[in-house]
């Protein structure tokens, strides 16, 4: 782990390899460790940087307001990187898309896995799925909340917990407990949003875009992946990966790595 100051905050990241730069942006229920299957594979050809977004993992959270997409470009500046490819999963995909729209000249390519881009609204179907699968959860009980979120997102609505590797579930819950604490702290700080948001601007994503999802992810996110691929001019939609849900790169690294190595510049 290395730490670097970015826009007044100290961010933690892991770096490996040489070549064209690739920045990995983690899900909101995780941290940079979710990319453990990608870093060594991509480092064979690329300079790979897996960062903890501000407030998450080992990165700091000063009390001043900020925007995650500004931090991503601040990280590039601090590392002397002119242009990089961004790979994001879930919330990290949202940040990646926002960064590409706010700073298009700095982003060479964009890979999005299960990304709920900014401005996207969840359907009543998703809200009902949460009620059916999880129900009421005490947000102050991080153990219970992490178990609920992992059941919903990581196992997914179409699978049973016993269908999923228990070690993978335990690791996801451990990451999510830390992420829940991060989100609680972030709720007290002004976090800037892209304006206007990405959902109405997908056609502006003119760099190469790779869009993927796990077949067991939420129906909303599968439909959104289709929409991103249809509206971004240079997008490629991967087939949904079987037996994988929201943390696709962590759960099924082999097909993700193969797709990224074929796609990344």
């Amino acid at each position: 782990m290395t730490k670097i100051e970015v826009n007044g905050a100290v961010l933690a990241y892991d770096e490996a390899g040489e070549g064209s730069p690739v920045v990995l942006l983690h899900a909101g229920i995780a941290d940079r460790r979710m990319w453990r299957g990608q870093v060594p594979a991509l480092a064979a050809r690329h300079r790979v940087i897996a960062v903890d977004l501000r407030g998450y993992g080992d990165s700091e959270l000063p009390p001043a307001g900020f925007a995650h997409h500004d931090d991503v470009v601040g990280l590039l500046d601090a590392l002397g990187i002119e242009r990089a490819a961004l790979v994001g999963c879930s919330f990290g995909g949202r940040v990646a898309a926002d960064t590409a729209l706010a700073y298009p000249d700095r982003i060479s390519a964009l890979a999005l896995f299960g990304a709920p881009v900014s401005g996207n609204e969840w359907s009543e179907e998703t809200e009902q799925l949460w009620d059916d699968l999880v129900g009421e959860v005490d947000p102050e009980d991080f153990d219970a909340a992490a178990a609920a979120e992992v059941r919903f997102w990581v196992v997914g609505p179409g699978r049973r917990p016993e269908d999923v590797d228990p070690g993978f579930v335990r690791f996801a819950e451990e990451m999510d407990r830390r992420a829940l604490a991060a989100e609680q702290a972030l709720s007290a700080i002004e976090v800037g949003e892209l304006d206007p948001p990405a959902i109405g601007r997908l056609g502006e994503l003119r760099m190469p875009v790779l869009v993927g999802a796990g077949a067991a992810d939420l129906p909303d996110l599968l439909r959104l992946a289709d929409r991103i691929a249809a509206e971004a001019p240079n997008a490629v939609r991967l087939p949904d990966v079987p037996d994988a849900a929201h943390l696709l790169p962590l759960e099924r690294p082999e097909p993700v790595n193969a797709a990224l190595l074929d796609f990344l510049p």
Side-chain angles (χ1 to χ4, degrees):
M1 178 182 68
T2 305
K3 293 192 173 183
I4 193 167
E5 184 170 341
V6 173
N7 296 336
V10 176
L11 303 187
Y13 68 97
D14 297 323
E15 182 173 348
E18 296 180 355
S20 58
V22 179
V23 178
L24 308 177
L25 302 173
H26 60 80
I29 58 173
D31 54 51
R32 73 184 192 281
R33 292 176 294 166
M34 71 159 286
W35 301 108
R36 63 188 185 183
Q38 280 68 53
V39 171
L42 299 182
R45 301 184 192 171
H46 299 277
R47 180 184 180 186
V48 184
I49 298 136
V51 63
D52 281 333
L53 294 168
R54 188 186 301 213
Y56 290 88
D58 296 307
S59 290
E60 295 181 354
L61 184 64
F66 76 102
H68 287 295
H69 53 273
D70 292 336
D71 275 0
V72 173
V73 169
L75 176 66
L76 299 184
D77 291 341
L79 294 174
I81 297 172
E82 183 176 349
R83 298 178 79 232
L86 301 183
V87 179
C89 177
S90 183
F91 178 70
R94 170 179 168 145
V95 174
D98 284 354
T99 307
L101 289 166
Y103 301 94
D105 294 341
R106 304 297 300 275
I107 309 306
S108 59
L110 193 61
L112 306 174
F113 297 101
V117 296
S118 59
N120 175 64
E121 295 186 4
W122 298 109
S123 68
E124 292 183 7
E125 175 190 12
T126 293
E127 295 173 4
Q128 187 61 51
L129 282 171
W130 177 272
D131 290 341
D132 293 344
L133 288 173
V134 176
E136 292 292 331
V137 179
D138 180 1
E140 299 298 321
D141 184 343
F142 287 172
D143 287 342
E149 289 196 344
V150 168
R151 171 65 186 91
F152 187 71
W153 294 105
V154 178
V155 175
R159 298 191 294 183
R160 301 171 300 171
E162 55 266 32
D163 297 332
V164 182
D165 177 71
F168 169 60
V169 170
R170 284 194 300 271
F171 181 50
E173 289 183 354
E174 189 271 320
M175 285 195 297
D176 195 24
R177 282 191 291 271
R178 294 185 72 187
L180 286 163
E183 289 174 355
Q184 185 180 68
L186 284 159
S187 69
I189 294 173
E190 183 179 349
V191 181
E193 301 285 348
L194 186 71
D195 184 24
I199 192 66
R201 303 172 59 186
L202 300 174
E204 296 176 35
L205 294 171
R206 301 194 176 279
M207 67 287 296
V209 179
L210 182 70
V211 188
D217 207 345
L218 296 178
D220 268 7
L221 288 174
L222 301 181
R223 288 189 288 264
L224 184 55
D226 291 340
R227 177 175 174 180
I228 296 168
E231 295 186 21
N234 298 303
V236 174
R237 175 73 160 94
L238 290 174
D240 294 334
V241 177
D243 198 24
H246 200 50
L247 292 187
L248 169 60
L250 178 61
E251 187 171 13
R252 297 283 177 259
E254 293 84 1
V256 170
N257 294 347
L260 286 173
L261 287 168
D262 186 56
F263 168 76
L264 291 169

